[in-house]
Amino acid sequence: KLKPMPKDFLWGASTSAYQVEGANLTHGKGPSVQDIKKVPEGTSELDVCADFYHHYKEDIALMAEMGFKTFRFSVAWSRILPEGTGAVNQEGIDFYNNVIDECLKYNIEPLVTMFHFDLPAALEKKGGWSRRESVDEFVNFAKILYENYGDRVKYWLTINEQNVLTLNGEVIGTCDLKGVDNKYKKLYQENHHMLLAQAKAMALCHEMVPGGKIGPAPNISLVYPASCKPKDVLAAQNLNAIRNWLYLDMAVFGRYNNLVWAFLEEHDATPVIEDGDMDIMASAHPDFIGFNYYSTATVEWNDGTEPAGRGDQQISGDEPGVFKAYPNPNLLRTEFGWEIDPDGFRATMREIYSRYHLPMIVTENGLGAYDKLTEDGKVHDQYRIEYLRKHIEQIKLACSEGVEMMGYCPWSAIDLVSTHEGVVKRYGFIYVNRDEFDLKDLARYKKDSFYWYKKVIETNGED
Ligand code: BGP
């Protein structure tokens, strides 16, 4: 039997700085890795995006009209610190002050992601996360955020989808592996630095922000075995460890997952760990777990005879001797080929909760589609309503089963730029009138899902 949703459930939605703001090289902002990458063919540059930088008041007013209790957005590191360290760009500080104040004006709790795929290019040029210094650079950035916003921002997220950064960085434009001999060695050393930076930032939040709550935000997709063949089950355990549990085991327990460690040893890729690193990680604790969920992943055993290939966004490449991507024949797919699995969402929530026993907030979930604006300014996105409704149903079921869910922030509050598939891949409740290369007037239109989500929030999930 369904129990009512928690009274203070945080309904909202998400964006990220480099995908929504525009003004990417103006107003004192330094370039990030996203601004120096070559954009995928057929997609536009990041100079305008949804132009949230100039429309934030109008956009937050629309979020308030939907009844948002929270708004998840990220802070662009190189807007605050154009060089990644050193001089602060006051205009950048002011911009996020304004965004935060605008949220608070409508009683919307800001949920701030510190780092969402946009390392300052100046740091990348020096070697980015592969250098030990990156840990202190991130902590310094976190300190500036707490100093400036800690009086008003209670909820913080450290690193968006650190697992995707490690497993799929080339696709999302955060790393270039050309000429790298042992990619695992490089990626998992960077990963170690990020984990350490995260642990230190969590501890610092507890020191500096009164009542502050902080958590990680990996992308968690429960991994299914393709069959009940025992070897397929082993393959699923392998990918679950590599893709999912490594990140949460580290954030919550500060412990490397043993299956991952064995995998790294096998590839001569165990990270350099300095004295004291593991203590720092074991003593820092998140207050909650944020996670992005789009779908599950399905794998079968890989006997090692086939070379590594690339799976889809959730699977991120096959590993000989470890697992092989398997298209799940039981699931429908979006227009962009992503599997749709609401039941798997509940399975994922159950599994995370049974492993970590922490409250959880869904920091992303959603459907990318080619929406059409009608002549009379409507967007009939019934497919999105259906997708979201089915996922919300699963949250209700999970809550009724005793899983502690704090909130739901689908991707995305407003149309923005996809990681690699352009602005025509839309996720928002609010339509932004532009095409890939024709900026039109950037006017905002309420999609059908806007009115539907407003009712969902009004009734605390009853719709
Ligand atoms: C997540 C990212 C987001 C986002 C979303 C949709 O991986 O955290 O930044 O864009 O996926 O993905 P895409 O834009 O590739 O459709």
Side-chain angles (χ1 to χ4, degrees), residues 19 116 160-161 294 313 338 364 411 418-419 425 427:
Q19 295 173 280
H116 193 126
N160 179 71
E161 294 196 348
Y294 288 88
Q313 182 124 338
W338 290 24
E364 287 180 33
W411 187 262
S418 145
T419 56
K425 186 183 193 186
Y427 283 87

Side-chain angles (χ1 to χ4, degrees), residues 20 44 48-52 55 58-59 62 371-379 413-417 423-447:
V20 77
S44 49
V48 178
C49 301
D51 200 25
F52 179 77
H55 287 74
E58 177 187 353
D59 295 341
L62 286 165
D371 295 338
K372 288 274 159 313
L373 182 68
T374 62
E375 300 255 298
D376 56 348
K378 305 264 181 327
V379 178
I414 181 165
D415 288 346
L416 37 69
V417 184
V423 296
V424 294
K425 186 183 193 186
R426 296 171 185 271
Y427 283 87
F429 294 107
I430 301 163
Y431 184 92
V432 176
N433 191 29
R434 66 164 288 184
D435 285 342
E436 200 62 58
F437 297 107
D438 177 0
L439 287 177
K440 299 191 173 171
D441 59 3
L442 295 169
R444 276 49 177 159
Y445 292 90
K446 300 170 197 174
K447 300 185 191 177

Side-chain angles (χ1 to χ4, degrees), residues 361-373:
I361 180 161
V362 180
T363 40
E364 287 180 33
N365 170 236
L367 177 78
Y370 295 103
D371 295 338
K372 288 274 159 313
L373 182 68

Side-chain angles (χ1 to χ4, degrees), residues 78-349:
S78 63
R79 194 179 288 292
I80 303 278
L81 292 159
E83 296 291 315
T85 55
V88 169
N89 171 32
Q90 191 54 43
E91 233 183 306
I93 298 277
D94 293 345
F95 172 65
Y96 297 109
N97 262 325
N98 294 339
V99 170
I100 290 164
D101 289 341
E102 205 60 23
C103 289
L104 294 175
K105 180 167 127 190
Y106 299 105
N107 289 322
I108 297 174
E109 216 36 273
L111 171 60
V112 176
T113 314
M114 298 173 164
F115 175 52
H116 193 126
F117 298 167
D118 55 355
L119 190 73
L123 297 184
E124 180 67 17
K125 275 185 209 134
K126 293 186 204 165
W129 289 106
S130 61
R131 298 159 310 131
R132 178 79 189 181
E133 296 77 32
S134 59
V135 176
D136 289 339
E137 288 160 358
F138 183 74
V139 176
N140 171 57
F141 168 52
K143 184 162 170 266
I144 293 171
L145 298 182
Y146 301 148
E147 272 164 4
N148 283 281
Y149 310 127
D151 57 335
R152 285 154 298 149
V153 175
K154 180 171 163 201
Y155 293 103
W156 299 86
L157 296 162
T158 53
I159 299 178
N160 179 71
E161 294 196 348
Q162 190 184 323
N163 54 341
V164 177
L165 283 172
T166 304
L167 297 164
N168 227 354
E170 283 180 298
V171 173
I172 54 171
T174 54
C175 82
D176 183 356
L177 293 171
K178 262 187 250 100
V180 174
D181 278 352
N182 182 344
K183 68 169 183 174
Y184 301 102
K185 181 104 194 138
K186 171 181 159 63
L187 291 169
Y188 284 89
Q189 185 64 55
E190 294 182 0
N191 191 54
H192 180 74
H193 292 149
M194 277 187 256
L195 292 167
L196 193 58
Q198 164 172 273
K200 287 189 162 191
M202 291 195 300
L204 193 63
C205 176
H206 293 137
E207 248 173 76
M208 290 183 64
V209 180
K213 294 196 181 300
I214 187 161
N219 176 312
I220 304 294
S221 295
L222 192 66
V223 183
Y224 298 150
S227 76
C228 53
K229 287 183 204 151
K231 282 238 175 340
D232 287 348
V233 173
L234 291 170
Q237 288 178 332
N238 288 340
L239 184 58
N240 265 313
I242 293 171
R243 189 196 185 289
N244 298 321
W245 311 139
L246 163 64
Y247 299 88
L248 293 177
D249 285 358
M250 288 305 289
V252 179
F253 307 131
R255 205 164 57 211
Y256 269 100
N257 182 289
N258 58 295
L259 292 182
V260 179
W261 198 257
F263 169 79
L264 294 178
E265 282 177 341
E266 190 72 25
H267 287 93
D268 187 23
T270 51
V272 175
I273 300 179
E274 290 192 5
D275 278 357
D277 285 5
M278 297 315 290
D279 293 336
I280 291 170
M281 292 196 273
S283 60
H285 298 292
D287 302 283
F288 60 86
I289 290 174
F291 73 102
N292 299 349
Y293 174 86
Y294 288 88
S295 188
T296 46
T298 307
V299 295
E300 58 184 343
W301 183 249
N302 182 337
D303 64 12
T305 56
E306 292 174 41
R310 184 165 286 291
D312 67 11
Q313 182 124 338
Q314 317 307 329
I315 297 192
S316 321
D318 301 349
E319 286 296 340
V322 184
F323 67 86
K324 187 160 82 179
Y326 182 85
N328 191 327
N330 306 299
L331 302 176
L332 296 174
R333 286 168 181 265
T334 71
E335 280 183 297
F336 286 84
W338 290 24
E339 291 174 342
I340 302 176
D341 188 3
D343 289 321
F345 185 30
R346 175 145 130 259
T348 301
M349 289 183 273

Side-chain angles (χ1 to χ4, degrees), residues 363-424:
T363 40
E364 287 180 33
N365 170 236
L367 177 78
Y370 295 103
D371 295 338
K372 288 274 159 313
L373 182 68
T374 62
E375 300 255 298
D376 56 348
K378 305 264 181 327
V379 178
H380 300 305
D381 58 343
Q382 191 55 35
Y383 37 88
R384 180 166 295 110
I385 295 176
E386 263 161 48
Y387 176 101
L388 295 173
R389 181 182 277 136
K390 285 186 182 148
H391 284 80
I392 291 172
E393 244 166 55
Q394 296 299 322
I395 298 183
K396 290 197 260 180
L397 288 163
C399 286
S400 302
E401 291 165 347
V403 174
E404 269 177 275
M405 297 301 298
M406 289 163 52
Y408 180 59
C409 294
W411 187 262
S412 50
I414 181 165
D415 288 346
L416 37 69
V417 184
S418 145
T419 56
H420 61 287
E421 296 181 286
V423 296
V424 294

